[in-house]
């Protein structure tokens, strides 16, 4: 596929501005050349998820890297690939940044620890301007830290709702409470990425707007307890089914008919179609929940998946140009066509194929109306606490959450979260 990458990104005369800030203060100055193999080829190591390297799924990452090499023959590149999911990228890269991949795909909530480990480079000049101009302000913010751009987003990282159109109408799925009167609904409360949506719906916050660490966690008081009580009632409803952390129980339930609505992401769209039959798959943003007589909008975490550059890479010029290429309009469109990864480039919003896609539409709706920014401040304390807290609604290994102890359990959760910041 011929690439329509911004000319400025491919123009050698603009290299200096492109790399303003890149590698500076992050290890390396971008002037060294990568180690070469026989024949004078420069080896660039690229890390991404197995699905993007799988020939059976179109090998998007390999295809795009080869297209980049063809578009830049003067670089004389040879690629080496490493497999890792975006969610595991931080652990892989920070283990030994100097030996890690030169260019890698990661989930944006890992940004702060990557920066602190000197494992990701600032992007300056035209590359940073491309990120700002081609994305919404909210999406650009997902890869911004202390005012600096660190990566190129290529898809949003959020979740939405799948449902069986034979059970629920488009009007039904606007309200979770309505849905529970008509069919079986599953939700993974022991997964903190999903759990927060219920508390955010009633005004609970993490780091204020997501950027103020001093604001801490606020799940306390009546607003937090009201949500806890709502969830207790949810578990008492015979039409509610607890999904597991990774969502496999929900998928199995869709297939055998024991579940009619499932909260997950675009990565499982093909499996949902297989479970329900494509003609029966409904896709929607997120419903409201009624707390104290008020309809409150569930709000998913909104982040991004992005391409970062290792500041220890010996050839910053090639690495940053490759990152920009992988996050370009054409590369995002190819990713969408191959794997359904909804693009974030604003110019693709009007693309006929993207606009007609129900999953892309649902993700866009979540992004604009049903989300809160996923903080890039380290949330390890939240992830550690959320799983046992969410699981306690059903299993209660350390005391099940009930109406009788909802106040105390909610306050204990809030205290544990804020103690993790000390």
């Amino acid at each position: 596929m011929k690439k329509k990458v911004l000319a400025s990104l491919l123009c050698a005369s603009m290299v200096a501005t492109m790399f303003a800030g890149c590698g500076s203060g992050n290890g390396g100055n971008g002037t060294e050349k990568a180690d070469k193999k026989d024949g004078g080829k420069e080896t660039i190591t690229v890390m991404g998820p197995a699905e993007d390297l799988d020939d059976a799924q179109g090998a998007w990452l390999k295809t795009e890297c080869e297209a980049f090499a063809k578009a830049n023959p003067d670089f004389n590149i040879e690629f080496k690939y490493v497999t890792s999911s975006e969610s595991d990228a931080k652990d892989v890269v920070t283990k030994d940044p100097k030996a890690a991949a030169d260019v890698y795909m990661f989930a944006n909530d890992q940004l702060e620890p990557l920066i602190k480990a000197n494992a990701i480079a600032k992007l300056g000049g035209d590359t940073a301007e491309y990120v700002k101009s081609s994305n919404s302000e909210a999406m650009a913010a997902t890869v911004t830290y202390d005012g600096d751009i660190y990566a190129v987003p290529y898809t949003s990282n959020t979740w939405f709702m799948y449902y069986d159109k034979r059970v629920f109408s488009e009007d039904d799925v606007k309200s979770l409470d309505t849905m529970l009167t008509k069919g079986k609904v599953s939700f993974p409360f022991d997964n903190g990425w999903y759990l927060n949506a219920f508390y955010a719906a009633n005004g609970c916050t993490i780091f204020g707007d997501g950027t103020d660490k001093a604001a801490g966690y606020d799940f306390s008081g009546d607003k937090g307890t009201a949500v806890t009580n709502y969830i207790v009632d949810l578990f008492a409803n015979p039409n509610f089914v607890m999904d597991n952390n990774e969502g496999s129980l929900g998928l199995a339930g869709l297939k055998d008919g024991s579940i009619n609505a499932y909260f997950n992401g675009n990565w499982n769209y093909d499996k949902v179609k297989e479970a329900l039959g494509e003609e029966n798959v409904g896709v929607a943003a997120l419903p409201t929940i009624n707390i104290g007589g008020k309809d409150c909008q569930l709000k998913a975490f909104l982040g991004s998946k992005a391409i970062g550059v290792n500041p220890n890479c010996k050839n910053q010029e090639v690495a940053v140009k490759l990152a920009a290429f992988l996050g370009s309009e054409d590369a995002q469109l190819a990713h969408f066509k191959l794997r359904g990864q909804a693009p974030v480039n604003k110019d693709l919003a009007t693309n006929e194929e993207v606009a007609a896609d129900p999953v892309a539409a649902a993700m866009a709706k979540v992004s604009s109306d049903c989300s809160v920014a996923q903080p890039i401040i380290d949330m390890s304390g939240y992830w550690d606490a959320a799983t046992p807290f969410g699981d306690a609604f059903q299993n209660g290994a350390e005391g099940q959450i009930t109406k009788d102890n909802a106040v105390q359990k909610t306050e204990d959760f809030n205290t544990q979260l804020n103690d993790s910041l000390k």
Side-chain angles (χ1 to χ4, degrees), residues 106-109 139 142-143 153-157 302-306 344:
F106 71 103
N108 83 295
D109 63 301
M139 188 53 56
T142 66
V143 292
Y154 59 89
T155 191
S156 58
N157 194 22
L302 174 65
S304 68
K305 293 181 182 179
V344 292

Side-chain angles (χ1 to χ4, degrees), residues 1 10 13 104 130 132 143-144 151 170 206-207 317 353:
M1 180 183 293
L10 298 178
S13 66
Y104 58 88
Y130 169 70
K132 294 175 184 178
V143 292
T144 302
E170 290 186 6
I206 297 177
F207 308 139
E317 177 184 350
E353 190 172 354

Side-chain angles (χ1 to χ4, degrees), residues 245-412:
N245 192 288
E246 69 274 10
S248 60
L249 288 179
L251 272 174
L254 288 178
K255 190 169 186 176
D256 65 22
S258 61
I259 288 172
N260 313 122
Y262 172 67
F263 294 85
N264 208 264
N266 61 336
W267 52 88
N268 268 335
Y269 184 41
D270 287 341
K271 292 181 179 179
V272 171
K273 287 191 294 184
E274 181 182 340
L276 288 178
E278 186 170 5
E279 69 279 6
N280 301 316
V281 177
V283 184
L286 302 182
T288 60
I289 57 176
N290 191 280
I291 297 179
K294 178 183 177 183
D295 287 335
C296 301
Q297 176 63 61
L298 289 179
K299 295 181 179 179
F301 277 132
L302 174 65
S304 68
K305 293 181 182 179
I307 303 110
V309 173
N310 191 332
N312 300 287
C313 172
K314 294 180 180 180
N315 195 326
Q316 293 287 299
E317 177 184 350
V318 174
V320 176
K321 280 191 174 184
L322 176 60
F325 191 92
L326 294 174
S328 69
E329 180 180 338
D330 279 357
Q332 287 187 38
L333 184 58
H335 212 178
F336 167 75
K337 290 181 176 181
L338 284 173
R339 290 197 52 234
Q341 298 292 295
V344 292
N345 186 297
K346 293 188 295 186
D347 291 339
L348 289 173
T350 56
N351 176 278
E352 185 175 345
E353 190 172 354
V354 174
D357 184 77
V359 169
M363 293 179 73
K365 179 71 172 175
V366 170
S367 298
S368 61
D369 300 334
C370 315
S371 64
V372 291
Q374 181 159 341
I376 56 177
I377 298 168
D378 185 12
M379 290 174 58
S380 56
Y382 173 79
W383 304 124
D384 290 342
T387 295
F389 180 75
D391 191 54
F393 285 100
Q394 176 169 284
N395 300 313
E398 297 181 6
Q400 189 162 345
I401 299 174
T402 66
K403 286 291 185 72
D404 291 335
N405 62 24
V407 173
Q408 189 60 53
K409 289 289 187 180
T410 307
E411 291 301 325
D412 289 347

Side-chain angles (χ1 to χ4, degrees), residues 29-311:
N29 58 17
T31 61
E32 299 173 87
K33 291 294 181 182
D35 292 335
K36 295 183 178 182
K37 290 191 172 185
D38 294 341
K41 285 185 176 293
E42 296 182 5
T43 301
I44 296 294
T45 304
V46 184
M47 186 175 82
E51 296 85 353
D52 285 327
L53 293 166
D54 184 5
D55 291 336
Q57 298 188 58
W60 173 82
L61 187 54
K62 291 179 182 178
T63 301
E64 294 303 317
C65 286
E66 290 166 5
F68 174 80
K70 186 175 181 180
N72 295 275
D74 291 344
F75 288 149
N76 198 21
I77 311 165
E78 183 170 82
F79 292 104
K80 177 182 177 182
Y81 299 101
V82 176
T83 300
S84 175
S85 68
E86 295 99 335
S87 60
D88 292 333
K90 170 181 69 69
D91 294 334
V92 175
V93 175
T94 60
K95 185 176 182 179
D96 186 357
K98 291 185 178 179
D102 300 311
V103 177
Y104 58 88
M105 301 162 72
F106 71 103
N108 83 295
D109 63 301
Q110 303 170 6
L111 189 55
E112 184 179 65
L114 285 168
I115 292 170
K116 290 183 175 179
N118 190 34
I120 191 165
K122 293 179 185 178
L123 302 178
D126 290 337
T127 308
E129 286 305 313
Y130 169 70
V131 172
K132 294 175 184 178
S133 64
S134 66
N135 292 281
S136 67
E137 185 176 341
M139 188 53 56
T142 66
V143 292
T144 302
Y145 188 86
D146 285 344
D148 294 310
I149 300 289
Y150 280 88
V152 184
Y154 59 89
T155 191
S156 58
N157 194 22
T158 193
W159 50 273
F160 48 90
M161 180 171 63
Y162 294 105
Y163 65 94
D164 189 333
K165 293 194 291 187
R166 295 167 297 186
V167 177
F168 304 112
S169 68
E170 290 186 6
D171 196 52
D172 291 336
V173 299
K174 295 177 182 178
S175 165
L176 181 60
D177 300 279
T178 298
M179 294 176 69
L180 289 164
T181 68
K182 298 189 174 185
K184 299 279 189 177
V185 179
S186 70
F187 195 86
F189 277 105
D190 64 347
N191 187 325
W193 200 50
Y194 296 85
L195 171 71
N196 184 65
F198 281 75
Y199 287 90
N202 205 38
C204 296
T205 59
I206 297 177
F207 308 139
D209 64 354
T211 65
D212 181 9
K213 188 173 183 178
Y217 297 91
D218 184 11
F219 287 72
S220 63
D222 292 343
K223 62 182 180 298
T225 300
V227 176
T228 300
N229 279 320
Y230 180 91
I231 298 173
V232 170
D233 287 339
L234 198 58
F235 274 85
N237 190 314
N239 273 344
F240 175 75
V241 181
M242 175 78 155
D243 199 358
N244 58 342
N245 192 288
E246 69 274 10
S248 60
L249 288 179
L251 272 174
L254 288 178
K255 190 169 186 176
D256 65 22
S258 61
I259 288 172
N260 313 122
Y262 172 67
F263 294 85
N264 208 264
N266 61 336
W267 52 88
N268 268 335
Y269 184 41
D270 287 341
K271 292 181 179 179
V272 171
K273 287 191 294 184
E274 181 182 340
L276 288 178
E278 186 170 5
E279 69 279 6
N280 301 316
V281 177
V283 184
L286 302 182
T288 60
I289 57 176
N290 191 280
I291 297 179
K294 178 183 177 183
D295 287 335
C296 301
Q297 176 63 61
L298 289 179
K299 295 181 179 179
F301 277 132
L302 174 65
S304 68
K305 293 181 182 179
I307 303 110
V309 173
N310 191 332

